[in-house]
């Protein structure tokens, strides 16, 4: 695959008008600090997100565990969950002033029961005025961008006109970027996994949103699996957010710095990425962490490659054992062919 030509870029300025045309979606139990650290050996430019963290957890919880990250993870966005403007503003301020996050994102898309019981996440799509108040409070407390990630709609509030009204109201808070998961969410009857798969994708409505709100940055999310998909969407919107595909095949991103940012790709093979993780893992183990807390995010590095299943099976069995260390990875690598090509397979 070749980078975009000048003609293609000029045809749609979306690819160049926003500094982060690609991002990896916030995913619970996926995009923690270990996964993000690994991704920085694959792509330096892609915007990364934390898992969603509730504002109250940040205010009252263990902040190092919730917010800690390494400098290599920049650019990085902290995704917050909540519906209380004052609490969200306090959490945002902690995230930016004390921890140095580059952006604050408000979750208006998660349909889980736990989130619904707190009256936030996707349920907030029915309360655009409250979302606007939350964004306004956060923007007043931090100097970095405050953005919103939301769905096409929820339950019976799912016409394009409903999403249009939501964005119209929220933009008045000063929010400039909206990340749209191109599926609606059913708050009852479907679990979070089903809500990522069953409601149909409606990309055309996200494209229309960009056409009608051209002054805003519109990012599309949902069902995007290949580099070709990313390039296609960037002809219509400003940015693309990739979720499960970025976790199920992280090496997919080994070519994105060159294709979408015009920067040199890091060019590391899968073996080199694993070896580059050794100092980080040794430091984690020295702090009392366990090997499998890191390696569970490395399982998919060899997806589709020779001995890829062996790699996953070996780590699944050996990494959780007491005292497991770097030798587990070395032993596994010794059985997996070291192919140097950086093709995004």
């Amino acid at each position: 695959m070749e980078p975009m030509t000048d003609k293609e870029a000029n045809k749609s300025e979306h690819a160049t008008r926003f500094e982060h045309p690609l991002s990896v979606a916030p995913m619970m139990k996926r995009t923690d600090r270990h996964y993000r650290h690994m991704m920085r050996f694959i792509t330096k430019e892609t915007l990364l997100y934390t898992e969603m963290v509730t504002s109250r957890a940040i205010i009252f919880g263990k902040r190092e565990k919730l917010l800690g990250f390494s400098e290599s993870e920049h650019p990085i966005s902290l995704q917050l969950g909540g519906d209380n403007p004052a609490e969200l503003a306090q959490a945002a301020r902690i995230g930016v002033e004390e921890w140095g996050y580059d952006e604050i994102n408000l979750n208006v898309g998660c349909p889980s029961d736990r989130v619904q019981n707190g009256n936030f996440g996707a349920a907030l799509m029915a309360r655009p005025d409250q979302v606007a108040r939350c964004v306004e409070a956060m923007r007043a407390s931090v100097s970095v961008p405050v953005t919103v990630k939301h769905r096409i709609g929820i339950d019976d509030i799912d016409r394009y006109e409903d999403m249009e009204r939501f964005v119209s109201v929220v933009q008045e808070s000063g929010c400039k970027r909206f990340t749209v998961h191109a599926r609606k969410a059913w708050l009852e009857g479907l679990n979070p996994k089903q809500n990522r798969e069953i409601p149909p994708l409606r990309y055309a409505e996200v494209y229309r949103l960009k056409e009608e709100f051209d002054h805003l940055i519109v990012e599309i999310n949902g069902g995007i699996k290949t580099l070709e998909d990313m390039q296609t969407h960037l002809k219509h919107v400003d940015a693309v957010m990739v979720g499960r595909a970025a976790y199920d095949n992280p090496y997919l991103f080994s070519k994105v710095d060159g294709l979408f940012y015009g920067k040199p790709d890091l060019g590391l093979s899968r073996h080199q990425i694993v070896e580059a993780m050794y100092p980080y893992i040794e430091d984690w183990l020295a702090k009392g962490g366990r090997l499998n807390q890191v390696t569970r995010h490395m399982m998919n590095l060899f997806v589709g490659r020779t001995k890829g299943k062996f790699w996953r099976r070996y780590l699944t069995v050996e990494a959780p054992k007491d005292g497991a260390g770097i030798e587990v990875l070395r032993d596994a690598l010794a059985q997996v062919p070291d192919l140097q090509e950086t093709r995004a397979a």
Side-chain angles (χ1 to χ4, degrees):
M1 178 176 296
E2 298 296 328
M4 287 186 182
T5 65
D6 290 341
K7 182 178 179 181
E8 289 172 327
N10 290 334
K11 180 179 179 182
S12 172
E13 64 180 9
H14 306 322
T16 57
R17 66 184 294 181
F18 178 49
E19 62 180 327
H20 297 303
L22 288 185
S23 68
V24 174
M27 293 176 279
M28 296 301 294
K29 299 183 180 180
R30 299 287 191 275
T31 54
D32 66 13
R33 63 191 303 174
H34 308 311
Y35 170 81
R36 298 191 307 260
H37 191 86
M38 178 191 72
M39 285 299 289
R40 283 298 177 233
F41 293 113
I42 301 174
T43 168
K44 282 292 187 184
E45 305 299 329
T46 303
L47 178 64
L48 302 180
Y49 281 77
T50 67
E51 304 168 86
M52 183 192 71
V53 188
T54 66
S55 56
R56 292 185 64 82
I58 290 174
I59 294 169
F60 301 109
K62 298 179 179 179
R63 293 177 187 171
E64 169 61 34
K65 179 179 180 181
L66 295 169
L67 297 176
F69 69 97
S70 59
E71 285 299 307
S72 67
E73 294 170 45
H74 291 290
I76 181 170
S77 177
L78 169 62
Q79 188 184 62
L80 296 178
D83 71 337
N84 182 298
E87 290 180 354
L88 284 166
Q90 183 178 354
R93 189 162 54 249
I94 292 168
V96 174
E97 293 182 358
E98 297 183 17
W99 293 89
Y101 281 91
D102 302 304
E103 174 188 296
I104 300 295
N105 179 262
L106 180 63
N107 183 315
V108 190
C110 181
S112 75
D113 292 339
R114 181 176 69 87
V115 168
Q116 287 184 56
N117 291 337
N119 294 315
F120 59 97
L124 278 173
M125 284 209 71
R127 303 163 62 200
D129 292 314
Q130 185 65 14
V131 174
R133 284 190 284 270
C134 291
V135 171
E136 187 174 21
M138 288 188 286
R139 289 189 70 248
S141 70
V142 298
S143 59
V144 301
V146 176
T147 65
V148 172
K149 184 176 188 294
H150 61 94
R151 292 272 184 152
I152 287 278
I154 56 170
D155 298 335
D156 295 325
I157 309 173
D158 70 337
R159 301 174 306 155
Y160 172 80
E161 290 75 15
D162 296 317
M163 179 173 64
E164 181 184 42
R165 177 178 179 273
F166 174 85
V167 172
S168 294
V169 172
V170 176
Q171 71 165 339
E172 294 302 318
S173 67
C175 183
K176 302 297 184 185
R177 184 161 109 246
F178 292 79
T179 300
V180 188
H181 188 151
R183 288 186 175 95
K184 67 178 289 184
W186 286 104
L187 300 186
E188 294 185 10
L190 295 181
N191 62 36
K193 182 177 185 296
Q194 291 170 323
N195 263 310
R196 292 193 299 270
E197 299 170 351
I198 293 177
L201 288 159
R202 292 153 55 181
Y203 293 139
E205 294 182 28
V206 186
Y207 298 167
R208 180 181 172 185
L209 186 72
K210 175 59 194 177
E211 290 176 358
E212 297 185 5
F213 292 85
D214 189 55
H215 60 289
L216 299 177
I217 296 168
V218 175
E219 182 174 40
I220 196 166
N221 171 232
I224 300 166
K225 299 179 180 179
T226 68
L227 299 176
E228 290 82 1
D229 289 345
M230 300 174 202
Q231 288 186 321
T232 297
H233 287 302
L234 284 173
K235 295 175 182 177
H236 303 278
V237 294
D238 301 295
V240 172
M241 175 180 280
V242 182
R244 298 291 149 172
Y247 194 84
D248 295 342
N249 181 16
Y251 202 70
L252 173 70
F253 277 68
S254 65
K255 291 292 188 182
V256 302
D257 289 0
L259 282 172
F260 299 102
Y261 290 87
K263 303 288 183 66
D265 292 317
L266 293 174
L268 299 183
S269 71
R270 293 166 174 84
H271 268 244
Q272 290 168 334
I273 291 166
V274 174
E275 291 165 351
M277 286 289 290
Y278 288 171
Y280 175 85
I281 294 172
E282 288 173 335
D283 182 64
W284 178 252
L285 295 175
K287 292 176 180 177
R290 297 181 64 87
L291 180 65
N292 65 314
Q293 292 173 313
V294 182
T295 58
R296 71 187 188 90
H297 301 298
M298 302 171 69
M299 296 281 192
N300 295 326
L301 268 175
F302 292 91
V303 163
R305 312 303 286 181
T306 302
K307 290 295 188 84
K309 290 182 179 179
F310 165 83
W311 168 263
R312 292 192 297 276
R313 184 169 61 249
Y314 192 86
L315 293 187
T316 298
V317 173
E318 298 298 327
K321 292 181 178 179
D322 290 340
I326 294 297
E327 71 280 353
V328 171
L329 289 166
R330 290 198 176 104
D331 291 344
L333 275 186
Q335 302 299 317
V336 179
D338 185 7
L339 302 176
Q340 292 296 323
E341 72 271 18
T342 57
R343 181 174 61 252

